[in-house]
Amino acid sequence: MLSGTVLRASGGIYEVETPEGVYSAVLRGRLKREERLGDRVVVGDRVEIAPDPAGAAWTIERVEERRSALVRRAPGKAPRPKVMVANVDRVVIVFAVAEPTPHLRMLDRFLVLAESSDLEAVIVANKVDLTGKEAARRLFAVYEEIGYRVLYTSVRTGEGIEDLREALCDGISTLAGPSGVGKSSLLNAVQPGLGRRVAAISEHVGKGRHTTVTAELVHLSCGGYVADTPGLRELGLWAIDPEELDLLFPEFRSYLGSCRYGNSCTHSHEPGCAVREAVEAGQLPASRFDSYLRLLAGDDEEVERG
Ligand code: GDP
Ligand code: ZN
């Protein structure tokens, strides 16, 4: 038996990276039957494979419990959740400080998605060469205050690239962010060719039929993996319970117990709301509260556009 990580899955063949190399494997019959009921094995899964006594192929014998899962809604008449990638450790959310102008409401939406999947979120503020670091820090100060890690990078000057590389070198990361902010350029700066590879796969994924959408892990030479998932953007907020939205804004958490209506307070109109009072007193960032209210109202489109 060998333990490994599933890098790709296509047509019932799984490529599994083990300490002894990459092997193609198929699902053992029992697992195969279970798979029809759900997403039994996906990219990112940790599995055990064994040589099949009947043939030359390897079979997946066991799947470890997932630490996390990126889920999207599978299209169809009765949409159901579909796991895209298992065991993702972090989402790297990339925005440019300028060109294009950052839409922080969209950043808030990505952060909520990361929180809802229990993923670490790292914010990358790229193109700092265009505004200088001071202006860039002012733009993202709110997020640093809340406690998110913000990396200030420039592909042009090389600033922050080493920090980004370090952030990607362990576990499985996925990148999110609008187009044109420099995601491919950053990946190429981290490891030559990486951006092109991830972009090519994503393009392929985008053109494929929805039912065949798959993800793939690309191994970094320093140890981590980058998942080429279509990104959080595709995932949507459909799975989030409006009653739990406030928990996905980490800076709200310490106030939630003090609302007059307790857990049932939506912080939108109720009297004696501790969150609202904190916003009015300047203790909580108004911009984030505004994003919260829009998401609560189901104003997803508007948040998308910024
Ligand atoms: P993606 O769509 O997010 O993958 O963005 P790309 O990597 O394709 O980059 C979009 C454009 O931004 C390209 O013209 C890049 O050369 C440019 N770009 C990327 N990073 C930087 C940067 O740090 N500074 C500046 N000034 N331009 C950058
Ligand atoms: Zn409240």
Side-chain angles (χ1 to χ4, degrees):
M1 285 269 225
L2 284 173
S3 302
T5 304
V6 177
L7 298 183
R8 285 172 209 102
S10 162
I13 311 284
Y14 298 82
E15 277 185 46
V16 181
E17 185 177 58
T18 75
E20 292 176 28
V22 179
Y23 295 96
S24 295
V26 295
L27 285 182
R28 200 188 158 82
R30 177 178 53 82
L31 289 177
K32 211 168 182 167
R33 281 191 298 279
E34 285 173 24
E35 189 184 40
R36 289 197 202 103
L37 303 172
D39 306 282
R40 197 64 193 87
V41 179
V42 301
V43 166
D45 267 324
R46 297 279 310 162
V47 297
E48 276 180 14
I49 60 173
D52 183 353
W58 291 71
T59 55
I60 295 176
E61 299 288 323
R62 215 178 69 79
V63 189
E64 280 178 31
E65 205 176 308
R66 291 176 188 147
R67 296 193 312 280
S68 69
L70 274 189
V71 179
R72 70 182 273 165
R73 185 165 21 190
K77 287 211 177 86
R80 59 186 175 82
K82 181 165 169 45
V83 179
M84 299 291 296
V85 195
N87 301 323
V88 172
D89 294 286
R90 78 186 59 77
V91 184
V92 177
I93 306 171
V94 185
F95 277 81
V97 296
E99 299 176 28
T101 306
H103 289 307
L104 298 180
R105 262 181 235 306
M106 200 197 283
L107 171 56
D108 290 336
R109 182 180 183 280
F110 283 132
L111 289 171
V112 162
L113 284 164
E115 295 285 341
S116 75
S117 301
D118 262 328
L119 301 173
E120 177 198 356
V122 175
I123 299 168
V124 171
N126 189 37
K127 308 198 189 184
V128 291
D129 56 282
L130 295 178
T131 61
K133 182 132 175 209
E134 282 317 303
R137 287 197 78 138
R138 277 196 296 277
L139 263 175
F140 289 89
V142 159
Y143 299 93
E144 292 199 69
E145 280 158 28
I146 295 168
Y148 286 111
R149 182 160 181 225
V150 185
L151 302 180
Y152 296 90
T153 62
S154 166
V155 175
R156 194 156 288 175
T157 68
E159 180 173 356
I161 299 299
E162 196 46 47
D163 294 333
L164 175 61
R165 185 180 294 121
E166 267 167 40
L168 296 174
C169 279
D170 114 271
I172 301 178
S173 306
T174 184
L175 261 69
S179 68
V181 297
K183 294 184 296 299
S184 320
S185 310
L186 285 165
L187 288 175
N188 281 334
V190 163
Q191 180 170 314
L194 181 64
R196 204 179 51 239
R197 240 193 108 184
V198 171
I201 302 162
S202 299
E203 196 180 323
H204 173 75
V205 165
K207 281 178 187 159
R209 283 184 313 153
H210 284 297
T211 45
T212 59
V213 168
T214 56
E216 182 169 331
L217 295 187
V218 181
H219 205 160
L220 272 73
S221 46
C222 62
Y225 297 93
V226 177
D228 76 300
T229 61
L232 285 187
R233 194 184 178 125
E234 300 277 308
L235 303 179
L237 291 160
W238 54 275
I240 295 172
D241 180 351
E243 292 204 352
E244 288 178 358
L245 184 62
D246 52 7
L247 293 170
L248 305 179
F249 285 73
E251 73 273 32
F252 292 4
R253 283 175 200 154
S254 61
Y255 296 92
L256 298 179
S258 310
C259 295
R260 187 181 305 164
Y261 292 102
N263 275 347
S264 63
C265 186
T266 64
H267 326 297
S268 56
H269 60 274
E270 295 88 344
C273 171
V275 173
R276 251 200 129 78
E277 281 164 13
V279 173
E280 277 155 18
Q283 288 157 339
L284 281 177
S287 60
R288 292 270 296 169
F289 186 59
D290 188 47
S291 288
Y292 166 80
L293 291 177
R294 285 171 192 245
L295 289 170
L296 185 72
D299 247 350
D300 211 14
E301 289 299 303
E302 202 166 324
V303 175
E304 273 278 296
R305 285 197 301 271

